[in-house]
mmCIF file of all heavy atoms in Angstrom:
data_model
loop_
_atom_site.group_PDB
_atom_site.id
_atom_site.type_symbol
_atom_site.label_atom_id
_atom_site.label_comp_id
_atom_site.label_asym_id
_atom_site.label_seq_id
_atom_site.Cartn_x
_atom_site.Cartn_y
_atom_site.Cartn_z
ATOM 1 N N ALA A 19 -77.567 -97.283 -74.056
ATOM 2 C CA ALA A 19 -77.754 -98.153 -75.218
ATOM 3 C C ALA A 19 -79.226 -98.298 -75.603
ATOM 4 O O ALA A 19 -79.541 -98.736 -76.716
ATOM 5 C CB ALA A 19 -77.145 -99.520 -74.943
ATOM 6 N N HIS A 20 -80.126 -97.947 -74.688
ATOM 7 C CA HIS A 20 -81.552 -98.085 -74.964
ATOM 8 C C HIS A 20 -82.122 -96.914 -75.755
ATOM 9 O O HIS A 20 -83.287 -96.930 -76.124
ATOM 10 C CB HIS A 20 -82.326 -98.228 -73.650
ATOM 11 C CG HIS A 20 -82.020 -99.491 -72.926
ATOM 12 N ND1 HIS A 20 -82.450 -99.746 -71.630
ATOM 13 C CD2 HIS A 20 -81.324 -100.601 -73.316
ATOM 14 C CE1 HIS A 20 -82.018 -100.945 -71.266
ATOM 15 N NE2 HIS A 20 -81.339 -101.481 -72.264
ATOM 16 N N TYR A 21 -81.324 -95.889 -75.973
ATOM 17 C CA TYR A 21 -81.813 -94.677 -76.627
ATOM 18 C C TYR A 21 -80.976 -94.348 -77.855
ATOM 19 O O TYR A 21 -79.754 -94.546 -77.865
ATOM 20 C CB TYR A 21 -81.760 -93.476 -75.660
ATOM 21 C CG TYR A 21 -82.630 -93.659 -74.443
ATOM 22 C CD1 TYR A 21 -82.131 -94.286 -73.308
ATOM 23 C CD2 TYR A 21 -83.949 -93.213 -74.437
ATOM 24 C CE1 TYR A 21 -82.928 -94.463 -72.182
ATOM 25 C CE2 TYR A 21 -84.751 -93.379 -73.316
ATOM 26 C CZ TYR A 21 -84.225 -94.011 -72.189
ATOM 27 O OH TYR A 21 -85.023 -94.179 -71.082
ATOM 28 N N ASP A 22 -81.638 -93.858 -78.897
ATOM 29 C CA ASP A 22 -80.911 -93.378 -80.067
ATOM 30 C C ASP A 22 -80.107 -92.149 -79.686
ATOM 31 O O ASP A 22 -80.555 -91.312 -78.886
ATOM 32 C CB ASP A 22 -81.881 -93.014 -81.191
ATOM 33 C CG ASP A 22 -82.561 -94.241 -81.772
ATOM 34 O OD1 ASP A 22 -81.961 -95.329 -81.703
ATOM 35 O OD2 ASP A 22 -83.688 -94.099 -82.275
ATOM 36 N N ARG A 23 -78.931 -92.019 -80.272
ATOM 37 C CA ARG A 23 -78.073 -90.872 -79.961
ATOM 38 C C ARG A 23 -77.749 -90.113 -81.251
ATOM 39 O O ARG A 23 -76.903 -90.550 -82.035
ATOM 40 C CB ARG A 23 -76.786 -91.338 -79.272
ATOM 41 C CG ARG A 23 -77.001 -91.767 -77.829
ATOM 42 C CD ARG A 23 -75.757 -92.329 -77.212
ATOM 43 N NE ARG A 23 -75.486 -93.676 -77.698
ATOM 44 C CZ ARG A 23 -74.438 -94.413 -77.316
ATOM 45 N NH1 ARG A 23 -73.562 -93.903 -76.480
ATOM 46 N NH2 ARG A 23 -74.268 -95.632 -77.792
ATOM 47 N N PRO A 24 -78.425 -89.009 -81.488
ATOM 48 C CA PRO A 24 -78.131 -88.228 -82.702
ATOM 49 C C PRO A 24 -76.744 -87.620 -82.639
ATOM 50 O O PRO A 24 -76.196 -87.366 -81.552
ATOM 51 C CB PRO A 24 -79.214 -87.147 -82.685
ATOM 52 C CG PRO A 24 -79.592 -87.014 -81.242
ATOM 53 C CD PRO A 24 -79.464 -88.403 -80.665
ATOM 54 N N SER A 25 -76.163 -87.395 -83.796
ATOM 55 C CA SER A 25 -74.859 -86.727 -83.862
ATOM 56 C C SER A 25 -75.059 -85.223 -83.681
ATOM 57 O O SER A 25 -76.130 -84.678 -83.960
ATOM 58 C CB SER A 25 -74.190 -87.001 -85.209
ATOM 59 O OG SER A 25 -73.911 -88.376 -85.363
ATOM 60 N N VAL A 26 -74.020 -84.551 -83.211
ATOM 61 C CA VAL A 26 -74.055 -83.103 -82.990
ATOM 62 C C VAL A 26 -72.937 -82.465 -83.812
ATOM 63 O O VAL A 26 -71.790 -82.932 -83.786
ATOM 64 C CB VAL A 26 -73.889 -82.747 -81.505
ATOM 65 C CG1 VAL A 26 -73.896 -81.226 -81.315
ATOM 66 C CG2 VAL A 26 -74.998 -83.384 -80.682
ATOM 67 N N THR A 27 -73.281 -81.416 -84.543
ATOM 68 C CA THR A 27 -72.284 -80.681 -85.312
ATOM 69 C C THR A 27 -72.328 -79.208 -84.943
ATOM 70 O O THR A 27 -73.227 -78.746 -84.229
ATOM 71 C CB THR A 27 -72.532 -80.815 -86.835
ATOM 72 O OG1 THR A 27 -73.820 -80.269 -87.137
ATOM 73 C CG2 THR A 27 -72.466 -82.260 -87.273
ATOM 74 N N VAL A 28 -71.359 -78.470 -85.435
ATOM 75 C CA VAL A 28 -71.357 -77.012 -85.358
ATOM 76 C C VAL A 28 -71.208 -76.478 -86.778
ATOM 77 O O VAL A 28 -70.507 -77.055 -87.599
ATOM 78 C CB VAL A 28 -70.206 -76.479 -84.470
ATOM 79 C CG1 VAL A 28 -70.481 -76.755 -83.001
ATOM 80 C CG2 VAL A 28 -68.858 -77.073 -84.886
ATOM 81 N N ASP A 29 -71.908 -75.381 -87.073
ATOM 82 C CA ASP A 29 -71.766 -74.688 -88.355
ATOM 83 C C ASP A 29 -71.555 -73.212 -88.061
ATOM 84 O O ASP A 29 -72.088 -72.679 -87.080
ATOM 85 C CB ASP A 29 -73.004 -74.897 -89.228
ATOM 86 C CG ASP A 29 -73.080 -76.312 -89.782
ATOM 87 O OD1 ASP A 29 -72.128 -76.719 -90.469
ATOM 88 O OD2 ASP A 29 -74.083 -77.000 -89.528
ATOM 89 N N LEU A 30 -70.780 -72.544 -88.931
ATOM 90 C CA LEU A 30 -70.363 -71.183 -88.631
ATOM 91 C C LEU A 30 -70.663 -70.223 -89.772
ATOM 92 O O LEU A 30 -70.259 -70.462 -90.916
ATOM 93 C CB LEU A 30 -68.853 -71.155 -88.335
ATOM 94 C CG LEU A 30 -68.421 -72.059 -87.184
ATOM 95 C CD1 LEU A 30 -67.685 -73.258 -87.731
ATOM 96 C CD2 LEU A 30 -67.553 -71.319 -86.203
ATOM 97 N N ALA A 31 -71.356 -69.149 -89.451
ATOM 98 C CA ALA A 31 -71.599 -68.070 -90.405
ATOM 99 C C ALA A 31 -70.645 -66.926 -90.042
ATOM 100 O O ALA A 31 -70.879 -66.195 -89.078
ATOM 101 C CB ALA A 31 -73.048 -67.605 -90.330
ATOM 102 N N ILE A 32 -69.565 -66.805 -90.806
ATOM 103 C CA ILE A 32 -68.531 -65.800 -90.551
ATOM 104 C C ILE A 32 -68.667 -64.696 -91.591
ATOM 105 O O ILE A 32 -68.570 -64.953 -92.796
ATOM 106 C CB ILE A 32 -67.120 -66.417 -90.621
ATOM 107 C CG1 ILE A 32 -67.040 -67.660 -89.723
ATOM 108 C CG2 ILE A 32 -66.072 -65.393 -90.226
ATOM 109 C CD1 ILE A 32 -67.303 -67.399 -88.262
ATOM 110 N N PHE A 33 -68.893 -63.467 -91.137
ATOM 111 C CA PHE A 33 -69.166 -62.355 -92.029
ATOM 112 C C PHE A 33 -68.023 -61.344 -92.046
ATOM 113 O O PHE A 33 -67.305 -61.171 -91.064
ATOM 114 C CB PHE A 33 -70.443 -61.617 -91.597
ATOM 115 C CG PHE A 33 -71.689 -62.448 -91.679
ATOM 116 C CD1 PHE A 33 -72.266 -62.956 -90.525
ATOM 117 C CD2 PHE A 33 -72.287 -62.705 -92.897
ATOM 118 C CE1 PHE A 33 -73.427 -63.711 -90.593
ATOM 119 C CE2 PHE A 33 -73.446 -63.463 -92.977
ATOM 120 C CZ PHE A 33 -74.017 -63.969 -91.823
ATOM 121 N N THR A 34 -67.885 -60.674 -93.195
ATOM 122 C CA THR A 34 -66.975 -59.555 -93.323
ATOM 123 C C THR A 34 -67.552 -58.605 -94.367
ATOM 124 O O THR A 34 -68.533 -58.925 -95.037
ATOM 125 C CB THR A 34 -65.558 -60.006 -93.730
ATOM 126 O OG1 THR A 34 -64.633 -58.930 -93.513
ATOM 127 C CG2 THR A 34 -65.507 -60.420 -95.199
ATOM 128 N N VAL A 35 -66.943 -57.429 -94.508
ATOM 129 C CA VAL A 35 -67.332 -56.494 -95.564
ATOM 130 C C VAL A 35 -66.202 -56.419 -96.581
ATOM 131 O O VAL A 35 -65.058 -56.111 -96.239
ATOM 132 C CB VAL A 35 -67.634 -55.094 -94.997
ATOM 133 C CG1 VAL A 35 -67.772 -54.077 -96.123
ATOM 134 C CG2 VAL A 35 -68.921 -55.128 -94.175
ATOM 135 N N LEU A 36 -66.529 -56.748 -97.825
ATOM 136 C CA LEU A 36 -65.583 -56.705 -98.938
ATOM 137 C C LEU A 36 -66.265 -56.050 -100.129
ATOM 138 O O LEU A 36 -67.457 -56.302 -100.372
ATOM 139 C CB LEU A 36 -65.143 -58.120 -99.336
ATOM 140 C CG LEU A 36 -64.086 -58.830 -98.500
ATOM 141 C CD1 LEU A 36 -63.919 -60.258 -99.024
ATOM 142 C CD2 LEU A 36 -62.756 -58.099 -98.556
ATOM 143 N N HIS A 37 -65.512 -55.244 -100.870
ATOM 144 C CA HIS A 37 -66.036 -54.647 -102.095
ATOM 145 C C HIS A 37 -67.388 -53.964 -101.855
ATOM 146 O O HIS A 37 -68.323 -54.101 -102.645
ATOM 147 C CB HIS A 37 -66.166 -55.710 -103.190
ATOM 148 C CG HIS A 37 -64.960 -56.578 -103.335
ATOM 149 N ND1 HIS A 37 -63.709 -56.073 -103.592
ATOM 150 C CD2 HIS A 37 -64.810 -57.935 -103.226
ATOM 151 C CE1 HIS A 37 -62.844 -57.074 -103.661
ATOM 152 N NE2 HIS A 37 -63.483 -58.205 -103.441
ATOM 153 N N LYS A 38 -67.493 -53.291 -100.708
ATOM 154 C CA LYS A 38 -68.688 -52.530 -100.350
ATOM 155 C C LYS A 38 -69.936 -53.400 -100.256
ATOM 156 O O LYS A 38 -71.045 -52.991 -100.621
ATOM 157 C CB LYS A 38 -68.919 -51.392 -101.347
ATOM 158 C CG LYS A 38 -67.784 -50.371 -101.369
ATOM 159 C CD LYS A 38 -68.107 -49.220 -102.298
ATOM 160 C CE LYS A 38 -66.972 -48.184 -102.250
ATOM 161 N NZ LYS A 38 -67.265 -47.006 -103.112
ATOM 162 N N ALA A 39 -69.769 -54.628 -99.737
ATOM 163 C CA ALA A 39 -70.907 -55.521 -99.556
ATOM 164 C C ALA A 39 -70.599 -56.522 -98.448
ATOM 165 O O ALA A 39 -69.439 -56.865 -98.202
ATOM 166 C CB ALA A 39 -71.234 -56.264 -100.854
ATOM 167 N N LEU A 40 -71.647 -56.985 -97.776
ATOM 168 C CA LEU A 40 -71.491 -58.013 -96.754
ATOM 169 C C LEU A 40 -71.172 -59.344 -97.425
ATOM 170 O O LEU A 40 -71.850 -59.755 -98.365
ATOM 171 C CB LEU A 40 -72.781 -58.131 -95.933
ATOM 172 C CG LEU A 40 -72.744 -59.110 -94.757
ATOM 173 C CD1 LEU A 40 -71.812 -58.600 -93.663
ATOM 174 C CD2 LEU A 40 -74.158 -59.325 -94.198
ATOM 175 N N HIS A 41 -70.131 -60.014 -96.945
ATOM 176 C CA HIS A 41 -69.727 -61.311 -97.480
ATOM 177 C C HIS A 41 -69.738 -62.363 -96.375
ATOM 178 O O HIS A 41 -69.575 -62.040 -95.191
ATOM 179 C CB HIS A 41 -68.317 -61.240 -98.092
ATOM 180 C CG HIS A 41 -68.297 -60.650 -99.467
ATOM 181 N ND1 HIS A 41 -68.719 -59.376 -99.746
ATOM 182 C CD2 HIS A 41 -67.881 -61.174 -100.666
ATOM 183 C CE1 HIS A 41 -68.565 -59.125 -101.042
ATOM 184 N NE2 HIS A 41 -68.082 -60.197 -101.619
ATOM 185 N N VAL A 42 -69.927 -63.622 -96.772
ATOM 186 C CA VAL A 42 -69.905 -64.741 -95.846
ATOM 187 C C VAL A 42 -68.828 -65.728 -96.286
ATOM 188 O O VAL A 42 -68.569 -65.892 -97.486
ATOM 189 C CB VAL A 42 -71.290 -65.432 -95.771
ATOM 190 C CG1 VAL A 42 -71.666 -66.068 -97.121
ATOM 191 C CG2 VAL A 42 -71.338 -66.459 -94.656
ATOM 192 N N LEU A 43 -68.201 -66.374 -95.314
ATOM 193 C CA LEU A 43 -67.144 -67.343 -95.601
ATOM 194 C C LEU A 43 -67.758 -68.705 -95.919
ATOM 195 O O LEU A 43 -68.564 -69.224 -95.148
ATOM 196 C CB LEU A 43 -66.215 -67.468 -94.389
ATOM 197 C CG LEU A 43 -64.973 -68.346 -94.570
ATOM 198 C CD1 LEU A 43 -64.005 -67.705 -95.552
ATOM 199 C CD2 LEU A 43 -64.287 -68.571 -93.226
ATOM 200 N N LEU A 44 -67.381 -69.280 -97.072
ATOM 201 C CA LEU A 44 -67.889 -70.588 -97.477
ATOM 202 C C LEU A 44 -66.729 -71.513 -97.837
ATOM 203 O O LEU A 44 -65.673 -71.053 -98.285
ATOM 204 C CB LEU A 44 -68.823 -70.461 -98.679
ATOM 205 C CG LEU A 44 -70.097 -69.624 -98.495
ATOM 206 C CD1 LEU A 44 -70.870 -69.554 -99.808
ATOM 207 C CD2 LEU A 44 -70.966 -70.171 -97.374
ATOM 208 N N VAL A 45 -66.953 -72.805 -97.643
ATOM 209 C CA VAL A 45 -65.969 -73.818 -98.032
ATOM 210 C C VAL A 45 -66.618 -74.761 -99.039
ATOM 211 O O VAL A 45 -67.822 -75.023 -98.982
ATOM 212 C CB VAL A 45 -65.449 -74.619 -96.813
ATOM 213 C CG1 VAL A 45 -64.712 -73.714 -95.855
ATOM 214 C CG2 VAL A 45 -66.586 -75.333 -96.099
ATOM 215 N N LYS A 46 -65.822 -75.257 -99.980
ATOM 216 C CA LYS A 46 -66.327 -76.226 -100.958
ATOM 217 C C LYS A 46 -66.088 -77.622 -100.409
ATOM 218 O O LYS A 46 -64.955 -77.997 -100.092
ATOM 219 C CB LYS A 46 -65.646 -76.055 -102.307
ATOM 220 C CG LYS A 46 -66.124 -77.048 -103.351
ATOM 221 C CD LYS A 46 -65.514 -76.790 -104.724
ATOM 222 C CE LYS A 46 -66.152 -75.589 -105.390
ATOM 223 N NZ LYS A 46 -65.703 -75.455 -106.814
ATOM 224 N N ARG A 47 -67.161 -78.417 -100.311
ATOM 225 C CA ARG A 47 -67.058 -79.751 -99.730
ATOM 226 C C ARG A 47 -66.289 -80.692 -100.654
ATOM 227 O O ARG A 47 -66.548 -80.751 -101.850
ATOM 228 C CB ARG A 47 -68.455 -80.310 -99.444
ATOM 229 C CG ARG A 47 -69.150 -79.586 -98.296
ATOM 230 C CD ARG A 47 -70.501 -80.212 -98.001
ATOM 231 N NE ARG A 47 -70.409 -81.627 -97.682
ATOM 232 C CZ ARG A 47 -70.050 -82.104 -96.503
ATOM 233 N NH1 ARG A 47 -69.728 -81.264 -95.518
ATOM 234 N NH2 ARG A 47 -70.013 -83.416 -96.293
ATOM 235 N N ARG A 48 -65.359 -81.417 -100.042
ATOM 236 C CA ARG A 48 -64.559 -82.369 -100.804
ATOM 237 C C ARG A 48 -65.230 -83.752 -100.852
ATOM 238 O O ARG A 48 -65.062 -84.500 -101.808
ATOM 239 C CB ARG A 48 -63.174 -82.495 -100.159
ATOM 240 C CG ARG A 48 -62.174 -83.308 -100.971
ATOM 241 C CD ARG A 48 -60.887 -83.550 -100.191
ATOM 242 N NE ARG A 48 -60.266 -82.306 -99.780
ATOM 243 C CZ ARG A 48 -59.425 -81.595 -100.527
ATOM 244 N NH1 ARG A 48 -59.136 -82.005 -101.748
ATOM 245 N NH2 ARG A 48 -58.888 -80.480 -100.065
ATOM 246 N N ALA A 49 -65.995 -84.087 -99.796
ATOM 247 C CA ALA A 49 -66.550 -85.436 -99.685
ATOM 248 C C ALA A 49 -68.077 -85.406 -99.680
ATOM 249 O O ALA A 49 -68.707 -84.371 -99.471
ATOM 250 C CB ALA A 49 -66.037 -86.104 -98.398
ATOM 251 N N ALA A 50 -68.674 -86.573 -99.910
ATOM 252 C CA ALA A 50 -70.124 -86.719 -99.822
ATOM 253 C C ALA A 50 -70.560 -86.602 -98.360
ATOM 254 O O ALA A 50 -69.769 -86.883 -97.454
ATOM 255 C CB ALA A 50 -70.536 -88.066 -100.404
ATOM 256 N N PRO A 51 -71.804 -86.184 -98.124
ATOM 257 C CA PRO A 51 -72.793 -85.782 -99.130
ATOM 258 C C PRO A 51 -72.545 -84.362 -99.628
ATOM 259 O O PRO A 51 -71.807 -83.605 -99.000
ATOM 260 C CB PRO A 51 -74.109 -85.865 -98.351
ATOM 261 C CG PRO A 51 -73.718 -85.556 -96.936
ATOM 262 C CD PRO A 51 -72.361 -86.173 -96.761
ATOM 263 N N PHE A 52 -73.121 -84.035 -100.740
ATOM 264 C CA PHE A 52 -73.019 -82.710 -101.344
ATOM 265 C C PHE A 52 -71.574 -82.366 -101.743
ATOM 266 O O PHE A 52 -71.158 -81.217 -101.648
ATOM 267 C CB PHE A 52 -73.556 -81.626 -100.407
ATOM 268 C CG PHE A 52 -74.960 -81.867 -99.951
ATOM 269 C CD1 PHE A 52 -75.221 -82.229 -98.643
ATOM 270 C CD2 PHE A 52 -76.026 -81.750 -100.836
ATOM 271 C CE1 PHE A 52 -76.518 -82.457 -98.206
ATOM 272 C CE2 PHE A 52 -77.330 -81.969 -100.416
ATOM 273 C CZ PHE A 52 -77.579 -82.332 -99.090
ATOM 274 N N ALA A 53 -70.803 -83.368 -102.186
ATOM 275 C CA ALA A 53 -69.433 -83.119 -102.634
ATOM 276 C C ALA A 53 -69.444 -82.103 -103.771
ATOM 277 O O ALA A 53 -70.265 -82.186 -104.689
ATOM 278 C CB ALA A 53 -68.778 -84.420 -103.091
ATOM 279 N N GLY A 54 -68.542 -81.137 -103.706
ATOM 280 C CA GLY A 54 -68.433 -80.120 -104.732
ATOM 281 C C GLY A 54 -69.315 -78.910 -104.500
ATOM 282 O O GLY A 54 -69.207 -77.919 -105.225
ATOM 283 N N MET A 55 -70.198 -78.970 -103.506
ATOM 284 C CA MET A 55 -71.058 -77.832 -103.211
ATOM 285 C C MET A 55 -70.428 -76.948 -102.131
ATOM 286 O O MET A 55 -69.594 -77.393 -101.338
ATOM 287 C CB MET A 55 -72.439 -78.301 -102.739
ATOM 288 C CG MET A 55 -73.296 -78.918 -103.819
ATOM 289 S SD MET A 55 -75.013 -79.198 -103.258
ATOM 290 C CE MET A 55 -75.580 -77.506 -103.025
ATOM 291 N N TRP A 56 -70.842 -75.695 -102.115
ATOM 292 C CA TRP A 56 -70.367 -74.763 -101.096
ATOM 293 C C TRP A 56 -71.219 -74.915 -99.844
ATOM 294 O O TRP A 56 -72.402 -75.252 -99.904
ATOM 295 C CB TRP A 56 -70.422 -73.334 -101.614
ATOM 296 C CG TRP A 56 -69.423 -73.071 -102.694
ATOM 297 C CD1 TRP A 56 -69.632 -73.122 -104.040
ATOM 298 C CD2 TRP A 56 -68.040 -72.731 -102.515
ATOM 299 N NE1 TRP A 56 -68.475 -72.839 -104.711
ATOM 300 C CE2 TRP A 56 -67.485 -72.595 -103.809
ATOM 301 C CE3 TRP A 56 -67.224 -72.525 -101.409
ATOM 302 C CZ2 TRP A 56 -66.142 -72.254 -104.006
ATOM 303 C CZ3 TRP A 56 -65.895 -72.197 -101.598
ATOM 304 C CH2 TRP A 56 -65.357 -72.067 -102.883
ATOM 305 N N ALA A 57 -70.584 -74.668 -98.692
ATOM 306 C CA ALA A 57 -71.265 -74.829 -97.408
ATOM 307 C C ALA A 57 -70.624 -73.909 -96.383
ATOM 308 O O ALA A 57 -69.517 -73.391 -96.587
ATOM 309 C CB ALA A 57 -71.172 -76.285 -96.940
ATOM 310 N N LEU A 58 -71.314 -73.716 -95.292
ATOM 311 C CA LEU A 58 -70.703 -73.011 -94.167
ATOM 312 C C LEU A 58 -69.647 -73.916 -93.547
ATOM 313 O O LEU A 58 -69.804 -75.137 -93.524
ATOM 314 C CB LEU A 58 -71.763 -72.676 -93.114
ATOM 315 C CG LEU A 58 -72.909 -71.751 -93.553
ATOM 316 C CD1 LEU A 58 -73.956 -71.679 -92.450
ATOM 317 C CD2 LEU A 58 -72.380 -70.359 -93.884
ATOM 318 N N PRO A 59 -68.558 -73.350 -93.027
ATOM 319 C CA PRO A 59 -67.578 -74.183 -92.321
ATOM 320 C C PRO A 59 -68.245 -74.870 -91.129
ATOM 321 O O PRO A 59 -69.120 -74.285 -90.478
ATOM 322 C CB PRO A 59 -66.520 -73.172 -91.859
ATOM 323 C CG PRO A 59 -66.731 -71.963 -92.696
ATOM 324 C CD PRO A 59 -68.192 -71.927 -93.037
ATOM 325 N N GLY A 60 -67.816 -76.090 -90.848
ATOM 326 C CA GLY A 60 -68.384 -76.795 -89.702
ATOM 327 C C GLY A 60 -68.039 -78.257 -89.723
ATOM 328 O O GLY A 60 -67.362 -78.749 -90.631
ATOM 329 N N GLY A 61 -68.504 -78.980 -88.708
ATOM 330 C CA GLY A 61 -68.232 -80.404 -88.635
ATOM 331 C C GLY A 61 -68.734 -80.988 -87.324
ATOM 332 O O GLY A 61 -69.391 -80.314 -86.528
ATOM 333 N N PHE A 62 -68.398 -82.251 -87.106
ATOM 334 C CA PHE A 62 -68.903 -82.983 -85.947
ATOM 335 C C PHE A 62 -68.158 -82.601 -84.671
ATOM 336 O O PHE A 62 -66.948 -82.349 -84.678
ATOM 337 C CB PHE A 62 -68.785 -84.484 -86.189
ATOM 338 C CG PHE A 62 -69.761 -84.986 -87.223
ATOM 339 C CD1 PHE A 62 -69.405 -85.062 -88.561
ATOM 340 C CD2 PHE A 62 -71.041 -85.372 -86.853
ATOM 341 C CE1 PHE A 62 -70.304 -85.514 -89.514
ATOM 342 C CE2 PHE A 62 -71.944 -85.822 -87.804
ATOM 343 C CZ PHE A 62 -71.578 -85.893 -89.131
ATOM 344 N N VAL A 63 -68.907 -82.577 -83.580
ATOM 345 C CA VAL A 63 -68.343 -82.269 -82.264
ATOM 346 C C VAL A 63 -67.765 -83.543 -81.665
ATOM 347 O O VAL A 63 -68.432 -84.581 -81.624
ATOM 348 C CB VAL A 63 -69.430 -81.700 -81.329
ATOM 349 C CG1 VAL A 63 -68.862 -81.415 -79.945
ATOM 350 C CG2 VAL A 63 -70.036 -80.435 -81.933
ATOM 351 N N HIS A 64 -66.519 -83.473 -81.196
ATOM 352 C CA HIS A 64 -65.898 -84.619 -80.535
ATOM 353 C C HIS A 64 -66.463 -84.787 -79.129
ATOM 354 O O HIS A 64 -66.924 -83.816 -78.504
ATOM 355 C CB HIS A 64 -64.384 -84.432 -80.468
ATOM 356 C CG HIS A 64 -63.731 -84.419 -81.821
ATOM 357 N ND1 HIS A 64 -62.432 -84.004 -82.023
ATOM 358 C CD2 HIS A 64 -64.205 -84.765 -83.054
ATOM 359 C CE1 HIS A 64 -62.129 -84.098 -83.309
ATOM 360 N NE2 HIS A 64 -63.194 -84.555 -83.949
ATOM 361 N N MET A 65 -66.410 -85.988 -78.615
ATOM 362 C CA MET A 65 -66.976 -86.275 -77.306
ATOM 363 C C MET A 65 -66.273 -85.525 -76.174
ATOM 364 O O MET A 65 -66.866 -85.295 -75.121
ATOM 365 C CB MET A 65 -66.908 -87.792 -77.037
ATOM 366 C CG MET A 65 -67.797 -88.616 -77.944
ATOM 367 S SD MET A 65 -69.574 -88.289 -77.696
ATOM 368 C CE MET A 65 -69.810 -89.082 -76.102
#
């Protein structure tokens, strides 16, 4: 309790080749912050 505890997340850069080019997997965020923007898949790590 005497120390700040930052949150920990994971983010994923998943690649494939499509249409003769390297592609990355992105998700569109539904919630804030950055709602409506594209992002790498990811989220908070459970304890």
